[in-house]
Amino acid sequence: MAEDRNTDGNARPDGRDTRWTGHRAERRDQILTAALAVIGREGTPVSVAAIGAEAGVPRSVVYRIFRSREDLDEQIRARIADDLLASLYPALDPKGTIREAIELASATYAGWVAEHPRLHQFLGIGSPEHRLSGSRVVAGTRTAIALHLARLLDSYAEQMLGGGRAPAGFTLNLAFGMVGLVDGVVDQWAARPGSRSSLDELTHFLSDALWGMLSGATPRLGLKLDPDQPIGSALELPPPPPGGPGTRGNTPW
């Protein structure tokens, strides 16, 4: 079949290969977009047939693009994470006061989860037929955002210490602790819609808790922070790490 050709006699792609590669990429994007639409509308119990119907292709075509249901689910998680990070990364650009920066990041993440509860659930547990047992996308998401935050904290500490640096591992410990706190609190909030706080209360709690971690840790650097102090204009946001587990080059939470 033409779609299975890889090279010609000179081991170089021919025109049919190039066309098939482009067509396959388009179909892949079409199917993933459809999967997010179905999950967002109906929840995690989504079948391959339902995804194919949303994309306008038969089930057999879905399995021609993805190796297995596990592969499809993992790439769906990667697409969800990409979309989450597209919303979250701009909110991590430090501006205004420390309090305002923390509140913006907290409100953005909590707000995305509240707006996309079924996508957040799929990201965390997968489909009922293939429960999540160890997703590289999910693990890579948390690691990537924590490393991004650690680089930001390193830059901020260097500015406040007049060119000095925090002890080895200090900002990593702080960044991973902050990410773990947010992840745990928001996961339990999303899982208990009948007994949870309001979204505003969740955001306030996250902001207070993150400020508590930050203000409690920084005295070890000889710093006493004021939540209403402006973030220095000289601080530059480190760029997100290139590549990553997402399907479009982003690296998710």
Side-chain angles (χ1 to χ4, degrees), residues 160-176:
M160 295 193 70
L161 293 171
R165 298 185 63 83
F170 177 87
T171 56
L172 280 174
N173 292 343
L174 182 55
F176 274 89

Side-chain angles (χ1 to χ4, degrees), residues 83-96:
D83 288 354
L84 166 60
L85 261 293
S87 297
L88 183 60
Y89 264 135
L92 296 178
D93 183 356
K95 55 173 66 78

Side-chain angles (χ1 to χ4, degrees), residues 24 31 56 108 135 140 173 175 178 204 213 222 235 245:
R24 184 184 180 90
I31 291 167
T108 300
S135 167
N173 292 343
M178 295 172 85
H204 291 322
M213 290 186 70
L235 180 63

Side-chain angles (χ1 to χ4, degrees), residues 90-107:
L92 296 178
D93 183 356
K95 55 173 66 78
T97 66
I98 296 175
R99 185 197 307 274
E100 289 168 343
I102 291 174
E103 288 178 348
L104 176 60
S106 299

Side-chain angles (χ1 to χ4, degrees), residues 23-127:
H23 176 70
R24 184 184 180 90
E26 289 176 3
R27 278 290 174 86
R28 178 176 169 277
D29 184 72
Q30 177 185 356
I31 291 167
L32 290 174
T33 299
L36 264 64
V38 175
I39 294 168
R41 187 173 63 241
E42 301 176 10
T44 60
V46 58
S47 67
V48 174
I51 293 172
E54 182 78 15
V57 301
R59 185 173 182 271
S60 60
V61 170
V62 177
Y63 279 119
R64 198 179 305 165
I65 302 298
F66 300 92
R67 296 188 303 272
S68 62
R69 179 60 199 259
E70 289 81 2
D71 179 41
L72 172 62
D73 281 1
E74 187 74 343
Q75 294 200 45
I76 291 171
R77 283 189 286 270
R79 176 60 63 89
I80 294 171
D82 279 343
D83 288 354
L84 166 60
L85 261 293
S87 297
L88 183 60
Y89 264 135
L92 296 178
D93 183 356
K95 55 173 66 78
T97 66
I98 296 175
R99 185 197 307 274
E100 289 168 343
I102 291 174
E103 288 178 348
L104 176 60
S106 299
T108 300
Y109 181 63
W112 186 93
V113 172
E115 186 177 354
H116 306 284
R118 296 183 178 94
L119 296 183
H120 175 261
Q121 184 182 32
F122 192 95
L123 186 63
I125 67 173
S127 60

